[in-house]
Amino acid sequence: MIGILIVSHGAFGEALIHCASHVLGKRPLRVRQIGVTVHDDPDLILPQAQELARALDDGSGVLVLTDILGATPANIATRLLAPGRVEGLSGVSLPMLVRALTYREQPLDVVVQKAMSGGRDGVVRLEKN
């Protein structure tokens, strides 16, 4: 099973996991998060993130999700990447996370593509009925 690590600003990652748990009816296994605050030193958070990524990897790989490309959480996430073993996506959203969780028994490259499509397809302009 693909492990999922969310590296994001503040409590956003935990909120996403909580919402995904609501959608799926239970808290998913092998999903963790690190919330980065303005007071955190990225060099001190990196070892914690590396340890979580190692712990989440059962041999199937890990998908690291982060919120804003170029921000501190994404910079930390980028330092975790190991192509084919630890992959990453920015712009995490609830549709992206739910899609990743739904397909995580598939190979890592498939989960990456499914998560990307969940994020992309989850952006829809609403119309009044």
Side-chain angles (χ1 to χ4, degrees):
M1 173 189 304
I2 303 299
I4 297 175
L5 175 60
I6 302 170
V7 184
S8 63
H9 288 89
F12 183 56
E14 185 56 41
L16 280 172
I17 294 169
H18 180 76
C19 290
S21 300
H22 175 78
V23 170
L24 299 172
K26 63 182 178 182
R27 187 169 179 102
L29 300 174
R30 307 189 70 75
V31 178
R32 298 291 298 275
Q33 66 86 32
I34 295 177
V36 181
T37 71
V38 68
H39 304 292
D40 290 326
D41 180 343
D43 291 329
L44 296 178
I45 292 196
L46 181 60
Q48 178 187 4
Q50 290 168 326
E51 178 54 35
L52 281 173
R54 275 191 294 275
L56 287 168
D57 191 358
D58 68 359
S60 303
V62 175
L63 176 58
V64 180
L65 302 173
T66 189
D67 46 16
I68 301 172
L69 182 64
T72 301
N75 294 338
I76 293 168
T78 300
R79 294 171 67 185
L80 301 174
L81 303 181
R85 200 179 90 235
V86 180
E87 298 286 346
L89 295 173
S90 69
V92 66
S93 64
L94 185 56
M96 179 187 285
L97 178 57
V98 169
R99 185 76 61 95
L101 290 166
T102 302
Y103 288 94
R104 63 200 286 216
E105 296 294 339
Q106 300 293 317
L108 182 56
D109 61 329
V110 172
V111 176
V112 168
Q113 292 303 314
K114 293 294 187 180
M116 285 176 51
S117 69
R120 183 180 53 248
D121 297 346
V123 178
V124 178
R125 183 174 182 177
L126 297 176
E127 297 181 19
K128 187 173 179 164
N129 291 337

